[in-house]
C-alpha cells in the first residue's frame, strides 16, 4: 500500500495483492466499519474496491451496498457499534450524503462515536469538498483503507 501511494507500484499490482490477501480468511472479529456507495452513487465498483482493500488490511466491515442514505449509515453505526463509516462517492454532488450523515449524527449526539471517511471521487472533485466534515477525505480508496487501519484500535 505504501509503495502504491508513493507512486512506486502500479494500480494493477495493488489490486492483485489486495485480491490475493482476500483469499486468507479474515479474523473473526465483529465489524468495526461499514462501507457503501453514498446516496446518489449507483456504481458498485468503487465500493467493491474499497471493501477489498479494507479486507486486505484485515478490517472487518459491513457492506451497505450502493445508493446508501445517511440514515442507513447511521443505523448500521448505532446497531453494530461501528467505529468507522466509509462513504464512497463518485462526484462532488454525492457528498450530500456524508454531509447529511454528519449533521444527523451531531443532532443525535453520536458524531463522536465514529469516524467519517469519504473516498472515491476524482482528485478534482475531491478538491471541491475541502469543507466536508469528514475525518478523512481522499480521492484514493487505498489511502482511505490505510488510514482506517492506522487509526483503528483493536
Amino acid at each position: 500500500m505504501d509503495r502504491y501511494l508513493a507512486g512506486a507500484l502500479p494500480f494493477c499490482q495493488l489490486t492483485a495483492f489486495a485480491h490475493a490477501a482476500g483469499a486468507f480468511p479474515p479474523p473473526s472479529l465483529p465489524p468495526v466499519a461499514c462501507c457503501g456507495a453514498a446516496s446518489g452513487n449507483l456504481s458498485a465498483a468503487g465500493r467493491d474496491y474499497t471493501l477489498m482493500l479494507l479486507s486486505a488490511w484485515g478490517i472487518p466491515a459491513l457492506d451497505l451496498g450502493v445508493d446508501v442514505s445517511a440514515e442507513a449509515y447511521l443505523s448500521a453505526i448505532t446497531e453494530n457499534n461501528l467505529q468507522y463509516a466509509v462513504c464512497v462517492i463518485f462526484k462532488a454532488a454525492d457528498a450530500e450524503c456524508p454531509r447529511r450523515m454528519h449533521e444527523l449524527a451531531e443532532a443525535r449526539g453520536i458524531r463522536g462515536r465514529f469516524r467519517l471517511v469519504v473516498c472515491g471521487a476524482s482528485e478534482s472533485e475531491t478538491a471541491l469538498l475541502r469543507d466536508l466534515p469528514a475525518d478523512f477525505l481522499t480521492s484514493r480508496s487505498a489511502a482511505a483503507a490505510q488510514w482506517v487501519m492506522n487509526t483503528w484500535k483493536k
Side-chain angles (χ1 to χ4, degrees):
M1 194 80 71
D2 289 335
R3 290 186 62 212
Y4 167 74
L5 290 171
L9 185 75
F11 178 78
C12 60
Q13 285 187 338
L14 173 66
T15 302
F17 288 134
H19 184 67
F24 297 98
S28 57
L29 299 172
V32 297
C34 59
C35 179
S39 181
N41 182 356
L42 302 176
S43 171
R47 186 220 55 221
D48 290 348
Y49 191 72
T50 304
L51 280 166
M52 179 180 67
L53 292 170
L54 290 168
S55 177
W57 277 105
I59 300 165
L62 293 175
D63 178 1
L64 299 181
V66 299
D67 198 21
V68 182
S69 70
E71 191 61 53
Y73 275 101
L74 293 178
S75 292
I77 290 163
T78 56
E79 290 169 13
N80 298 282
N81 197 29
L82 302 176
Q83 298 173 40
Y84 297 92
V86 181
C87 194
V88 180
I89 63 174
F90 181 69
K91 56 192 179 309
D94 298 340
E96 183 55 34
C97 177
R99 186 172 280 114
R100 181 77 177 136
M101 188 187 334
H102 170 80
E103 291 168 357
L104 289 171
E106 283 282 316
R108 296 174 188 174
I110 62 168
R111 182 58 180 91
R113 289 177 39 189
F114 69 95
R115 293 180 177 188
L116 177 55
V117 179
V118 179
C119 63
S122 69
E123 287 184 32
S124 60
E125 292 282 321
T126 301
L128 300 172
L129 303 173
R130 294 186 197 278
D131 67 331
L132 191 67
D135 296 295
F136 190 74
L137 171 66
T138 181
S139 61
R140 304 171 89 181
S141 294
Q146 185 177 44
W147 185 85
V148 171
M149 182 61 217
N150 290 337
T151 60
W152 178 31
K153 308 268 190 293
K154 292 184 184 179

